[in-house]
Amino acid sequence: MGILSEISVELLVRFSVLCKASSYGEVVQCALGKTGKEVGDFGCGGCFLAPLCALDKIDSLSLTSAASVALAVVFVVVCFIVAFIKLVEGKIEAPRMTPDFGSKKAILDLLVILGFLLARLGYIVRVGYILHLVLVFPVVHFSLRQTVDAMVFEGSAPLSESRKRSLALTAVLLGLIYICSTMVPNIWTAFKFTGATTAVSLGFIFPSLIALRLSRRGEGLSHGEKLLSWFMLIMAIVVGVVGVIGNIYSLKSQSK
């Protein structure tokens, strides 16, 4: 997966330069037309979220995006600390890297302290992840709003020039997203389906389609790269279909 991800990013960057595209949607449109651009943009898509989501320009979200990245780093560091503490407490297995000192009597008090810290770190993880989602959601919502506006109000003035239309779309989308989120019983259900559809499409299906389509127009793509692109495309489609079917079967099994 790491190798395929690197190939996917390399293909996207190469053909973005060739097409002089400044966004994911533009390079998809260059290769697959306007319909493909709208599908690609759509795939990239509360009282705390509304103020940031109401901003008209993506540049306005630069600071919040940077803050979300910083929070993601903090989240990783805290998770590392939690994992380390669990290793020390013996709650998860780890490869033998140090001598076995036998009795744990000498470090019993230390484990009690670490258990207390672990509980506090749990709260830090939760609060940090919530803030991360609040800050990163407006960036995703921006692409969604632009795509919906292009599909529903085709031929109208740019969304940045119509404040009323922008606020109306923001309110409608946030309302629909909130309603849909309350209907999902478990967040892992949403993660499973988005991983099997959106993530697979944006990460592998569209990059391989871009490379294969533009290669027909004379853009440089070696025989080996064409084979890799076909392999990545077929693999992504199979994984997506199997993932969706497996998720549906799992939901039916749980309901029974």
Side-chain angles (χ1 to χ4, degrees):
M1 291 304 298
I3 293 174
L4 288 178
S5 297
E6 194 279 333
I7 294 173
S8 173
V9 173
E10 194 274 335
L11 290 174
L12 275 175
V13 172
R14 186 199 304 183
F15 288 105
S16 294
V17 173
L18 290 174
C19 296
K20 297 181 179 180
S22 59
S23 68
Y24 193 106
E26 289 182 9
V27 69
V28 173
Q29 182 177 11
C30 178
L32 305 176
K34 186 176 179 180
T35 302
K37 176 183 181 298
E38 293 176 352
V39 174
D41 280 343
F42 192 81
C44 291
C47 59
F48 294 105
L49 299 174
L52 292 177
C53 291
L55 297 175
D56 293 330
K57 297 182 179 180
I58 193 67
D59 296 344
S60 305
L61 298 172
S62 58
L63 292 178
T64 58
S65 297
S68 67
V69 173
L71 285 171
V73 174
V74 172
F75 178 75
V76 171
V77 172
V78 172
C79 287
F80 172 80
I81 295 173
V82 171
F84 176 76
I85 292 175
K86 285 184 175 289
L87 283 172
V88 174
E89 291 181 333
K91 293 183 178 179
I92 56 177
E93 297 181 359
R96 178 63 61 83
M97 300 179 65
T98 57
D100 184 11
F101 294 106
S103 176
K104 298 181 181 179
K105 182 66 176 178
I107 59 172
L108 182 60
D109 293 337
L110 177 61
L111 293 180
V112 173
I113 296 175
L114 291 177
F116 175 79
L117 291 176
L118 182 61
R120 293 297 176 264
L121 286 173
Y123 289 111
I124 295 176
V125 170
R126 293 173 185 175
V127 173
Y129 194 64
I130 290 173
L131 292 175
H132 168 72
L133 291 178
V134 168
L135 293 175
V136 78
F137 178 84
V139 179
V140 182
H141 174 268
F142 182 89
S143 297
L144 175 63
R145 184 177 59 193
Q146 294 292 110
T147 303
V148 172
D149 179 71
M151 296 173 64
V152 177
F153 300 101
E154 185 176 2
S156 301
L159 191 61
S160 58
E161 299 178 4
S162 178
R163 184 64 175 171
K164 291 183 179 179
R165 193 166 86 243
S166 176
L167 291 176
L169 274 176
T170 300
V172 171
L173 290 175
L174 287 180
L176 291 175
I177 291 171
Y178 176 77
I179 293 173
C180 292
S181 65
T182 58
M183 297 173 64
V184 178
N186 192 327
I187 188 61
W188 293 110
T189 302
F191 285 162
K192 289 178 181 179
F193 280 100
T194 55
T197 54
T198 304
V200 171
S201 299
L202 294 179
F204 300 103
I205 292 179
F206 276 112
S208 57
L209 284 175
I210 290 169
L212 293 171
R213 178 61 66 89
L214 292 180
S215 67
R216 296 180 180 179
R217 304 180 186 177
E219 308 293 353
L221 201 66
S222 66
H223 181 69
E225 289 173 332
K226 287 182 180 179
L227 290 178
L228 281 173
S229 298
W230 276 110
F231 171 75
M232 187 162 60
L233 176 62
I234 295 172
M235 182 206 69
I237 293 175
V238 171
V239 169
V241 172
V242 172
V244 171
I245 294 175
N247 292 335
I248 295 174
Y249 178 78
S250 177
L251 289 176
K252 289 184 178 180
S253 299
Q254 293 177 3
S255 63
K256 293 180 180 179

